[in-house]
């Protein structure tokens, strides 16, 4: 054999890192933080090993723990002290995310992103105002246009509390435009929007719904979250968000939707984010506990795949562990 082209020449230790095509760093990662207004102590999340709900009084300490690993950005999720049909605690000045945001932005150097949705705040667990009789009629769903005003109010309340970025996740048609207009009118034109632009109705969300206490009390979310069978529709969804003023484009989930991450990366110039969701996190932990896989190596490889597919930012429950390893 006369092999003139030997790829293995570039796989030795001295050169391997120099020719590596994809790099992952702590500054690519966003760490989720769950703040719970119903507790005075940290509560472990059983389905998400290593994570916990923290009271507002512990929010700063929790974020400082994240910053120590080299991760610079966090996303705050809130569990309110009470819920109602409209999710009114979502935009309350003294709401859980608002109070945590004030403390974290005043006392740390973290870049604070806030989740803008209704499911954690509504008594029915859906992402907005539901239609009459939706509980008994599975063909009914969230009222789209009526929900937009509530999402806008919530985003403005987060910005007024000091949020650096807001991240609407409800997959409500027109949510980015409504939020952008409200932010601009209230003097927060510099606050960017990271839209969950292509968010699928996925079975990988289970542990998160435990963590954020946001599972639907009835029905499902198939009428507003995307069909997992659809790829072309994602480009349509993302295009609408771009036209309405989205600054960063999120694909959720990540691992099962790397083709969507790649398609969005190729179609748009905006920064692309991937959400390495709770189910993806939990299944690696479960396999590692069985001794079937190495947790650190599979977690790193998973995040590297998201970067390779085109993600600029990754929201992940592995953020601290991976940053430590890096």
């Amino acid at each position: 054999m006369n092999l003139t082209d030997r790829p293995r020449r570039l796989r030795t230790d001295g050169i391997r890192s120099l020719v590596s095509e994809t790099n992952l760093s702590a500054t690519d990662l966003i760490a989720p933080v769950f703040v719970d207004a119903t507790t005075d102590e940290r509560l472990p999340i059983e389905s998400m090993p290593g994570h916990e709900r923290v009271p507002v009084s512990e929010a700063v300490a929790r974020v400082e723990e994240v910053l120590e690993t080299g991760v610079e950005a966090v996303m705050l999720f809130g569990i309110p002290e009470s819920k109602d049909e409209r999710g009114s605690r979502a935009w309350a000045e003294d709401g859980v995310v608002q109070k945590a945001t004030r403390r974290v932005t005043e006392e740390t150097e973290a870049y604070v992103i806030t989740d803008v949705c209704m499911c954690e705040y509504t008594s029915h667990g859906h992402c907005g105002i539901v239609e009459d009789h939706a509980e008994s009629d599975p063909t009914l769903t969230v009222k789209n246009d009526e929900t937009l005003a509530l999402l806008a109010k919530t985003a403005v309340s987060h910005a007024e509390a000091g949020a650096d970025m807001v991240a609407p996740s409800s997959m409500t048609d027109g949510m980015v435009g409504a939020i952008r207009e409200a932010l601009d009118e209230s003097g927060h034109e510099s606050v960017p929007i990271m839209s969950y632009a292509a968010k699928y109705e996925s079975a990988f969300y289970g542990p998160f719904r435990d963590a954020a206490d946001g599972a639907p009390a009835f029905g499902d979310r198939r009428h507003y979250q995307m069909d997992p069978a659809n790829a072309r529709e994602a480009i349509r969804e993302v295009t609408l968000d771009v036209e309405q003023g989205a600054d960063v484009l999120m694909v959720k989930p990540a691992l099962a939707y790397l083709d969507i991450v790649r398609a969005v990366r190729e179609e748009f110039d905006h920064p692309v984010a991937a959400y390495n969701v709770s189910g993806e996190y939990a299944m690696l932990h479960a396999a590692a506990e069985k001794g079937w896989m190495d947790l650190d190596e599979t977690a790193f490889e998973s995040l590297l795949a998201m970067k390779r597919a085109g993600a600029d930012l990754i929201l992940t429950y592995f953020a601290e562990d991976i940053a430590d390893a890096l």
Side-chain angles (χ1 to χ4, degrees), residues 57-243:
S57 61
E58 288 281 324
V60 170
R62 178 72 189 96
V63 170
E64 287 176 339
E65 292 168 4
V66 172
L67 297 178
E68 288 174 0
T69 69
V71 175
E72 298 177 354
V74 297
M75 183 177 285
L76 300 183
F77 296 90
I79 297 91
E81 60 271 39
S82 62
K83 304 186 180 191
D84 57 41
E85 289 188 356
R86 292 174 59 82
S88 59
R89 296 302 299 171
W91 61 85
E93 184 179 354
D94 61 345
V96 59
V97 167
Q98 290 81 353
K99 289 195 290 188
T101 298
R102 289 189 191 94
R103 296 190 183 198
V104 172
T105 55
E106 289 172 1
E107 299 182 41
T108 79
E109 296 298 319
Y111 189 83
V112 176
I113 307 167
T114 56
D115 177 67
V116 178
C117 196
M118 309 297 295
C119 61
E120 300 102 315
Y121 302 91
T122 54
S123 54
H124 46 70
H126 281 281
C127 303
I129 301 172
V130 294
E131 296 176 328
D132 295 339
H133 311 298
E135 183 172 356
S136 58
D137 187 346
T139 67
L140 300 178
T141 186
V142 166
K143 295 180 179 180
N144 190 93
D145 295 8
E146 291 88 336
T147 297
L148 293 177
L150 306 187
L151 294 172
K153 288 172 64 175
T154 301
V156 170
S157 73
H158 290 180
E160 290 178 345
D164 296 299
M165 176 185 284
V166 295
S169 60
S170 67
M171 287 300 288
T172 310
D173 291 346
M175 65 182 184
V176 172
I179 289 171
R180 183 72 275 157
E181 182 179 359
L183 288 173
D184 292 354
E185 289 179 350
S186 60
H188 298 291
E189 63 279 352
S190 296
V191 174
I193 298 172
M194 177 165 66
S195 174
Y196 288 59
K199 180 180 178 180
Y200 286 83
E201 188 212 3
S202 172
F204 286 98
Y205 301 152
F208 173 88
R209 291 174 180 173
D210 290 338
D213 193 22
F218 54 84
D220 54 39
R221 294 172 177 157
R222 72 186 187 279
H223 291 152
Y224 45 101
Q225 294 179 357
M226 288 181 60
D227 183 347
N230 291 1
R232 296 191 304 273
E233 183 188 6
I235 299 303
R236 180 185 178 196
E237 282 279 9
V238 176
T239 298
L240 290 170
D241 283 4
V242 168
E243 290 172 349

